Amino acid sequence: MNLTLAIIKPDATGSGAVGRIVAHLEATGFTVRSLRMLTMTTQQARSFYAVHRERPFYDSLVSFMTSGPCIPIVLEAPDAVMRLRQTIGATDPAEAAEGTVRRLYAESRERNAIHGSDSDDNARREIGFFFTEAELAR
Ligand code: UDP
Ligand code: MG
């Protein structure tokens, strides 16, 4: 699939990194298909990350993700999911490769600046979580 979902997380919207992150994504070859800004409710964040509900970091992650505004972005490129995962880097910025978004802008394993879908199926689900068909139409 040529679409994936990124989310600029509350640490990065709060630190003034939004423009640089979007510029980085565009410079990497992505086209922005749609974007919006919202502060997620606890219910939205719990649902978005439901796959992690048994993990020890779940409650803290939900608290972080609802602590300020997020910017979900639908990105278009060939092999979008794989390309975005390479562009954002490893979950922990200390382990993320040089030049990746997380290496450049993330604070910690939790406050790691950006989300990227990890499969085409999850990209479809996650895009549908934030955007209507009409918002993706051109
Ligand atoms: N996370 C965390 N502690 C961990 C692992 C993950 O706080 O030990 C947070 C982090 O914000 C991460 C999100 O939970 O981005 C989802 O975790 P996942 O394993 O899916 O990492 P990702 O796919 O975002 O790299
Ligand atoms: Mg993940």
Side-chain angles (χ1 to χ4, degrees):
M1 186 165 72
N2 64 351
L3 296 180
T4 190
L5 184 83
I7 305 173
I8 302 178
K9 297 186 180 183
D11 58 319
T13 62
S15 69
V18 171
R20 282 174 289 154
I21 291 174
V22 174
H24 187 113
L25 297 171
E26 290 185 325
T28 309
F30 290 102
T31 300
V32 174
R33 276 288 294 275
S34 199
L35 63 74
R36 58 182 289 218
M37 185 179 225
L38 77 162
T39 299
M40 280 199 266
T41 65
T42 297
Q43 189 48 52
Q44 276 177 307
R46 289 179 65 85
S47 171
F48 185 81
Y49 280 116
V51 64
H52 292 313
R53 65 183 169 272
E54 305 300 337
R55 308 284 290 279
F57 58 82
Y58 180 66
D59 287 347
S60 180
L61 172 61
V62 168
S63 171
F64 162 54
M65 291 298 289
T66 57
S67 68
C70 284
I71 302 180
I73 310 174
V74 180
L75 294 169
E76 180 169 2
D79 294 322
V81 166
M82 195 185 68
R83 184 183 296 224
L84 181 61
R85 294 296 301 198
Q86 285 173 347
T87 301
I88 71 178
T91 306
D92 187 335
E95 294 162 11
E98 287 286 342
T100 58
V101 174
R102 283 167 166 169
R103 180 66 170 261
L104 288 166
Y105 301 110
E107 294 174 19
S108 68
R109 176 179 286 265
E110 177 177 81
R111 299 170 62 85
N112 61 0
I114 190 167
H115 168 85
S117 306
D118 65 3
S119 68
D120 282 1
D121 281 352
N122 284 336
R124 272 185 277 270
R125 179 184 81 83
E126 293 174 0
I127 290 168
F129 191 92
F130 291 108
F131 297 92
T132 64
E133 286 290 330
E135 288 167 337
L136 301 174
R138 284 184 295 188

